[in-house]
Amino acid sequence: MTLIEPRLSRGLRDLLPEDTLARQHMIDVVRGVYELYGFVPLTTPAVEYLDVLSGSGGQEIQQSIFTVSNPEEEQLGLRFDHTVPLARVIAQYKELPKPFRRYSIGPVWRADKPGPGRFREFVQFDIDSVGVQSELADTEIICGICDSMEALGVSNYQVRFSSRRVLNLLLAYASITPERSVDVFRVIDKLEKIGPKKVRLELTAGYTDESGDRITGLGLTAEQADQIEKFIAIRSPKRADVVKELGGTFGSVPGAAEEIAVLEKMSHNLDVAGYRDDRVIIDLSIARGLAYYNGPVFETILMDAPQFGSVFSGGRYDDLVMRFLGERVPATGASMGVDRLLAALRALDKIRLRKSTAEVLVTTFDSSMKDDYTAMTFELRRAGIRTELYMGTDRAGKQIKYGDRLEIPIVLLYGPDEKAKGVVTIKDMSAGRARAQQLTGSRDRWLQERPGQFEVPRAELVAAVRKLLAEPPAFTERT
RNA sequence: GCCGAAGUAGCUCAGCUGGCUAGAGCACUAGAUUGUGGAUCUAGGGGUCAAGGGUUCGAGUCCCUUCUUCGGUACCA
C-alpha cells in the first residue's frame, strides 16, 4: 500500500484548536462592536464568476485569482476580497434597503507567492456602508475601528486618515496626470517605511537599494517632487491644525476648499462622538495603494507594534458598483487583517490562549459508575457549564494530566469514596499549577498536598462549580 | 520577480580535511505510580540526512540540477 504524504499546498496552513480559538475570540469581539453599531452580516460564496471578480480588464488582477473548475466548465475563481462580492450583491439585489451597512467575515484567496506572514488563504473581516455619500459613514467606520481596538484590550493605537480627493487636487496642482496618481499614491504611502529621502528618489529618478535591487523612479520633475513634499510636510498631532494649514497653503487651489471641508467635518464628527486627537489623526501621507479609492482613506497602527503595519484599513470607493450597474453607488468601508492583527495581539500579549473550550472535566476512574459520570456531565451542561466527559477508563493520573494539558480549569473526581459520602471532589487546577512551581522533588508531598481540592455535597455541585468559575484564578491569566 | 542564506527526528541543533550501525536536548508514548497534574528515574517509538544525478572502494559531508523554507526587496486589486 502506498502511503499518501500528509501535506498542504504552499501558502496554505492549518489552524490548530488553540489558534482557532484565539482567532474566533478576536473576531467575536470585533463583530460585537459592529453589531452594536447596527451592522448586519452578509455571506457570499467563495466562488464567483471570473468576470465578476476581475471586471472587464485587469490582467494583473487575474494572475492572482485562483481559478476553479465546475462540471459546466464555467469560468470561475475564488474571491480575493469581500468588497467585489459586496458590489455584486448591491447590484443584484436592488431592493436592499439603503444604506446597506454590512459586515463579512471569511477566507479570501490570492494566488500570490506567499511570504513571511502572508498566505494564499487568509481571513478578512470587512465592514462597509453602501449608499451613503455623507462623510458620517466614513467617520462611523473609524469609530468602530477605535472601539474594536479598545475592546481587544489595545489602548495605544492610532487611526490615521486622509482623503484621496485632497490628494488628487494636489497632484493636479503639481501637474501630475490622473493616470499617474495611483503610482504616486503608492510611493507616498511608503513614507513611514522608507523615509522622505527614498520617497523623493522614487518619485523622481529612482535608486538602487542595499540588496542591489534597482528601484525604478516615477520620473517626476524636481518641482513636482517639491510640491508633493510641501504637502506631506503638513503634519500635526492636532487634526484642527492640519485642516487649518492645509486651507492656508492650498485653499486657493480650485475645488480644494470643498474637499478640505470634508476632512474638517469628519474631524468634527469624531470630536462629537468622543474620538479625539489622541486616537485619530489626519495624516496626509496616508494614500493607500488601491486604485479604486476616491475619498477618505484610513489605516490603523498599533503604536506598541508598528512593525505589523496597518491592521485595519480602508476608504471610500464610490465607483466600484459601476462595473455592474453602470451607475455610481457611494460606498465606504474597511478591512481588518485578521491574521495580522492576531499576530500583533500575540506579540503584545493581549490574547488569552486556550487549548480547550471546556471549563470542567469529569473524570471516570471507576467503570462501575459510568451512569453517575454521564448524569453529572449533563447536569453541568444543562446548567450552561462547558463540560467534557473523559472518554475511556485510564487511571486517574492520566485523566488529570489530560485536563492539565488542555488547561481545563476544573477537574471533578468522583469515585466510590465520594459516592459513599455523598460528595464530589472538585479540583481547581490552577492551584496545583501554582504549587508545582514552588515544590521541587518529593513526589510524596505532591501526592499528599492535593492542592486546590475540596469536597462539596453532590447536590451542590453546580453551585460550587459556578462559584469557582466566577472567582479569579489563583495564577495569573492573560486576558 | 530580484538579491542573500539555509535545508539532518515533531522542534532546536551537533555530526571535523569523505571512513564503525547517523547522535543529543526538548517534545511524544509507556512504566515506576491500576484514586491524583509538577519534579525525578527507566524504557520505547520516531530519520528516504529536501529530491534527483555525478565523483569515489566508500557521500549527511565534495560537485551539478531541481525543490522548499527563511531574511531583505518589489508587488498587493
Side-chain angles (χ1 to χ4, degrees):
Chain A
M1 170 169 138
T2 309
L3 293 175
I4 295 161
E5 189 195 348
R7 72 219 136 99
L8 283 173
S9 169
R10 69 182 315 201
L12 307 179
R13 66 196 164 145
D14 299 308
L15 285 192
L16 295 181
E18 191 173 1
D19 296 316
T20 307
L21 285 170
R23 178 196 265 180
Q24 237 167 45
H25 168 73
M26 191 181 87
I27 288 172
D28 285 349
V29 167
V30 179
R31 187 171 56 202
V33 167
Y34 283 99
E35 287 189 353
L36 184 66
Y37 281 55
F39 282 75
V40 293
L42 171 71
T43 309
T44 63
V47 177
E48 297 271 359
Y49 280 112
L50 220 43
D51 61 342
V52 166
L53 289 176
S54 58
S56 39
Q59 284 185 345
E60 268 183 40
I61 291 171
Q62 279 197 18
Q63 280 180 354
S64 24
I65 295 177
F66 273 100
T67 53
V68 171
S69 65
N70 70 356
E72 291 76 21
E73 295 180 358
E74 296 175 304
Q75 299 278 301
L76 303 168
L78 295 174
R79 65 176 177 224
F80 51 81
D81 69 10
H82 293 301
T83 313
V84 169
L86 169 64
R88 195 208 82 226
V89 165
I90 293 299
Q92 202 172 336
Y93 303 88
K94 289 187 201 155
E95 71 276 18
L96 282 174
K98 307 286 183 324
F100 184 57
R101 299 159 72 251
R102 81 91 181 79
Y103 65 86
S104 285
I105 307 160
V108 299
W109 293 266
R110 296 185 190 181
D112 299 324
K113 187 184 170 186
R118 297 189 49 182
F119 301 90
R120 284 180 167 175
E121 179 188 63
F122 55 98
V123 172
Q124 283 202 328
F125 188 134
D126 274 39
I127 34 163
D128 297 88
S129 283
V130 181
V132 194
Q133 189 61 68
S134 164
E135 73 289 335
L136 259 172
D138 307 273
T139 311
E140 186 179 63
I141 301 281
I142 290 175
C143 297
I145 292 176
C146 293
D147 289 0
S148 297
M149 291 305 121
E150 281 169 40
L152 288 168
V154 177
S155 50
N156 201 12
Y157 63 90
Q158 196 168 55
V159 179
R160 304 165 176 178
F161 73 97
S162 176
S163 166
R164 272 287 178 90
R165 286 187 210 195
V166 174
L167 290 168
N168 277 324
L169 284 162
L170 163 85
L171 296 190
Y173 181 67
S175 309
I176 292 164
T177 59
E179 300 84 64
R180 309 225 51 192
S181 59
V182 173
D183 294 325
V184 173
F185 291 151
R186 209 170 279 148
V187 177
I188 293 176
D189 208 45
K190 290 188 212 169
L191 182 67
E192 185 148 18
K193 203 173 168 190
I194 65 178
K197 271 189 190 167
K198 286 186 180 172
V199 165
R200 186 181 177 96
L201 285 171
E202 198 166 337
L203 285 171
T204 53
Y207 65 100
T208 305
D209 75 7
E210 297 84 4
S211 69
D213 234 15
R214 178 69 198 162
I215 311 289
T216 313
L218 295 180
L220 301 186
T221 65
E223 291 75 34
Q224 288 176 318
D226 286 343
Q227 287 288 347
I228 292 170
E229 276 178 6
K230 189 174 163 193
F231 179 75
I232 57 184
I234 299 174
R235 17 180 81 242
S236 167
K238 291 188 175 173
R239 298 193 295 250
D241 289 352
V242 175
V243 169
K244 204 193 226 172
E245 199 176 331
L246 201 50
T249 314
F250 294 97
S252 57
V253 174
E258 191 186 325
E259 297 306 335
I260 293 169
V262 173
L263 287 181
E264 190 169 20
K265 272 191 224 163
M266 284 179 72
S267 181
H268 172 76
N269 292 339
L270 286 164
D271 279 330
V272 171
Y275 301 86
R276 307 200 180 273
D277 292 324
D278 57 330
R279 290 190 277 176
V280 186
I281 64 163
I282 297 177
D283 183 340
L284 300 171
S285 70
I286 301 300
R288 306 299 306 160
L290 268 70
Y292 60 48
Y293 287 136
N294 74 325
V297 286
F298 33 88
E299 59 184 54
T300 309
I301 304 287
L302 304 188
M303 306 300 272
D304 297 325
Q307 70 273 22
F308 289 95
S310 176
V311 293
F312 210 146
S313 54
R316 177 164 284 276
Y317 54 98
D318 293 331
D319 298 316
L320 193 60
V321 183
M322 279 283 273
R323 181 194 294 177
F324 303 106
L325 277 187
E327 67 185 66
R328 203 157 207 255
V329 178
T332 184
S335 177
M336 174 172 85
V338 168
D339 297 292
R340 188 184 275 194
L341 180 55
L342 191 59
L345 290 177
R346 281 187 156 185
L348 293 174
D349 209 14
K350 295 287 187 193
I351 281 280
R352 178 182 161 188
L353 297 173
R354 287 176 310 161
K355 296 188 174 74
S356 172
T357 54
E359 299 163 295
V360 176
L361 176 70
V362 177
T363 57
T364 62
F365 50 76
D366 189 303
S367 56
S368 69
M369 291 170 57
K370 276 178 186 161
D371 292 351
D372 295 284
Y373 301 132
T374 305
M376 194 180 279
T377 299
F378 280 89
E379 186 180 328
L380 288 161
R381 287 176 181 167
R382 285 194 188 101
I385 297 164
R386 299 167 163 205
T387 304
E388 174 168 353
L389 175 62
Y390 190 90
M391 301 281 159
T393 50
D394 293 297
R395 65 164 208 271
K398 273 192 76 164
Q399 299 194 33
I400 294 169
K401 189 178 172 132
Y402 172 80
D404 188 37
R405 289 186 52 168
L406 288 180
E407 291 171 16
I408 297 172
I410 296 174
V411 170
L412 299 186
L413 309 175
Y414 188 63
D417 298 351
E418 281 87 355
K419 191 172 184 177
K421 284 165 72 179
V423 298
V424 183
T425 299
I426 296 180
K427 193 171 176 65
D428 172 6
M429 297 295 281
S430 63
R433 213 163 295 151
R435 185 68 185 110
Q437 305 251 318
Q438 307 147 1
L439 193 68
T440 51
S442 178
R443 179 165 174 81
D444 289 343
R445 278 197 63 187
W446 171 253
L447 288 179
Q448 273 168 33
E449 281 193 25
R450 300 196 166 168
Q453 273 185 228
F454 59 96
E455 294 178 349
V456 299
R458 173 65 184 83
E460 293 167 24
L461 174 63
V462 167
V465 167
R466 269 201 186 123
K467 182 162 174 267
L468 188 55
L469 285 172
E471 283 172 6
F475 68 103
T476 313
E477 262 183 308
R478 283 169 284 176
T479 46

